Amino acid sequence: METKVLEPTPEGLRIAGEIIRGGGLVAFPTETVYGLGANALSAEAVARIFEAKGRPRFDPVIVHVAAPEEAEALWSEVPPLARALMERFWPGPLTIVLPKRDVIPDIVTAGLPTVAIRMPAHEAALGLIRAAERPIAAPSANRFGKTSPTHHEHVLEELGGRIEAVLAWGPTPVGIESTVISLVEDPPRVLRPGGTPLELLREVVGELRADPPQVRGGPAPSPGTMRRHYMPRTPLFLLEPGLPEDGWEELPRDRCGYLGFTAAKRGFRFGEVLSERGDLREAAARFFASLRRLDSLGLSAIVAEPVPEEGLGVAIMDRLKRASRGVARLNAHSVWIKRL
Ligand code: AMP
Ligand code: MG
């Protein structure tokens, strides 16, 4: 794929907006860093972000809007504090986390019931969102593990040939990422420090939790506080070939849900197939919604078929492995599990 380098003109924005509407990827400047944007209302378009970045795992992605009303249409609850924050800090480097509406696909939030939204203070970013006529999901426009790009040349070095276009606007003014604040917790909590200083936030919010960012190898955050990753409540087991052996635990098949990649439902009453044609992009796009549906049924276990660990399959398997409590094998009537 040849990556178009689009000039800072109305025509450049028009073309970029069309690419987003068509499900393509456009890197664009914001006041913080360059973002890698896709239509936030399309699960497949957002799956392509993870593919292009080569991210080996799914993380929730920030949704960018061009006006507070557009954010209000994507959240299911908008407390007065959110309005006060938007009024004071938007457009600008403040991202607000609140419960999402169903129009936001699960892959945007990595399965979480909340969505992070901000309105960037950059004419090109706002021009792109308006031209696309829809909200734009975007993480930083770099390959996985690299630093966030503050110039379109950095974007081209890393993602050239992997995305449809980049808006070439030169350096970004702030260069650090947005502050992320969750209003789902009480008191509100800063999930990531960034371009909006905490002292200014406290003027509006009052009491604010801002535990220091996690140290690598440090203690895990206490469960339920930092809900930055969706994990199913139903115990999940990874399917492996072979028949049950001594010591395996038997579960009736109709008490189990099946999360399959391409195969049919294998006689399960509750089953989801991620992609009949074996397409990992489609599988990624459906993954979180399928997992959540099975998780909502109150079953004893979810049996998940592994996917190939290549491309987006790496991120899918990362989530399955982290959610799994052990392995499962099947025989004609039952599911057999071994907890690990
Ligand atoms: P970036 O990839 O640089 O855009 O970073 C996105 C940041 O926002 C990460 O720290 C995410 O964990 C955080 N984030 C995005 N969406 C959510 C959400 N729904 N709940 C909590 N944190 C979020
Ligand atoms: Mg990043």
Side-chain angles (χ1 to χ4, degrees):
M1 166 189 326
E2 200 193 321
T3 301
K4 286 196 181 78
V5 179
L6 298 171
E7 300 297 320
T9 59
E11 180 62 2
L13 288 170
R14 192 189 60 74
I15 295 168
E18 241 165 54
I19 293 171
I20 296 283
R21 276 202 300 280
L25 302 180
V26 178
F28 63 98
T30 73
E31 78 280 33
T32 61
V33 300
Y34 273 75
L36 179 57
N39 176 5
L41 306 182
S42 159
E44 290 227 16
V46 174
R48 288 201 50 212
I49 292 178
F50 292 95
E51 199 172 23
K53 284 185 65 118
R55 268 204 204 182
R57 56 163 195 260
F58 293 113
D59 289 308
V61 177
I62 294 170
V63 173
H64 297 72
V65 295
E69 304 82 71
E70 295 173 16
E72 295 201 20
L74 302 174
W75 285 320
S76 62
E77 284 163 40
V78 187
L81 180 56
R83 297 212 169 89
L85 286 170
M86 289 191 281
E87 190 159 316
R88 173 82 184 267
F89 296 106
W90 283 14
L94 180 69
T95 299
I96 302 172
V97 174
L98 279 170
K100 78 177 188 78
R101 284 191 205 249
D102 289 344
V103 287
I104 296 287
D106 282 302
I107 191 172
V108 171
T109 68
L112 293 174
T114 56
V115 63
I117 307 184
R118 86 177 188 101
M119 175 181 173
H122 195 290
E123 273 318 306
L126 296 172
L128 175 64
I129 299 162
R130 290 188 191 115
E133 297 171 338
R134 55 214 68 194
I136 294 183
S140 52
N142 49 276
R143 293 276 291 169
F144 172 75
K146 302 294 177 63
T147 50
S148 301
T150 52
H151 195 287
H152 64 264
E153 291 293 347
H154 308 166
V155 177
L156 278 168
E157 278 162 29
E158 297 206 5
L159 296 174
R162 304 179 65 90
I163 63 179
E164 274 76 7
V166 57
L167 290 171
W169 250 259
T172 60
V174 177
I176 54 169
E177 280 133 333
S178 63
T179 302
V180 180
I181 183 172
S182 169
L183 301 187
V184 177
E185 297 185 43
D186 188 20
R189 180 178 202 138
V190 169
L191 301 179
R192 177 179 76 186
T196 300
L198 297 186
E199 307 81 72
L200 292 188
L201 277 176
R202 284 210 170 86
E203 286 175 14
V204 178
V205 177
E207 195 186 347
L208 180 67
R209 279 162 75 185
D211 311 17
Q214 245 194 267
V215 193
R216 203 177 288 241
S222 54
T225 55
M226 306 269 269
R227 284 179 303 144
R228 296 162 87 164
H229 293 287
Y230 171 73
M231 286 294 172
R233 283 162 301 146
T234 314
L236 186 142
F237 298 87
L238 273 173
L239 184 64
E240 58 173 41
L243 290 172
E245 289 164 18
D246 285 350
W248 287 56
E249 192 181 325
E250 182 178 10
L251 298 173
R253 207 177 271 231
D254 63 0
R255 289 297 309 147
C256 299
Y258 179 66
L259 185 65
F261 177 40
T262 60
K265 295 203 283 181
R266 295 181 197 249
F268 282 86
R269 212 164 111 216
F270 305 104
E272 297 276 340
V273 173
L274 294 176
S275 174
E276 261 137 41
R277 54 192 157 96
D279 178 79
L280 285 165
R281 190 184 294 167
E282 182 178 46
R286 291 185 181 167
F287 176 67
F288 284 104
S290 298
L291 189 56
R292 272 164 62 103
R293 268 197 296 277
L294 290 174
D295 195 23
S296 70
L297 298 172
L299 297 166
S300 307
I302 295 170
V303 175
E305 179 186 28
V307 306
E309 289 195 68
E310 61 197 39
L312 284 167
V314 176
I316 296 174
M317 283 307 291
D318 168 71
R319 187 52 55 102
L320 286 178
K321 284 176 189 164
R322 284 197 282 142
S324 91
R325 314 266 183 94
V327 289
R329 294 183 181 179
L330 305 179
N331 66 5
H333 308 289
S334 303
V335 171
W336 298 80
I337 56 168
K338 189 168 79 177
R339 297 176 198 271
L340 295 175

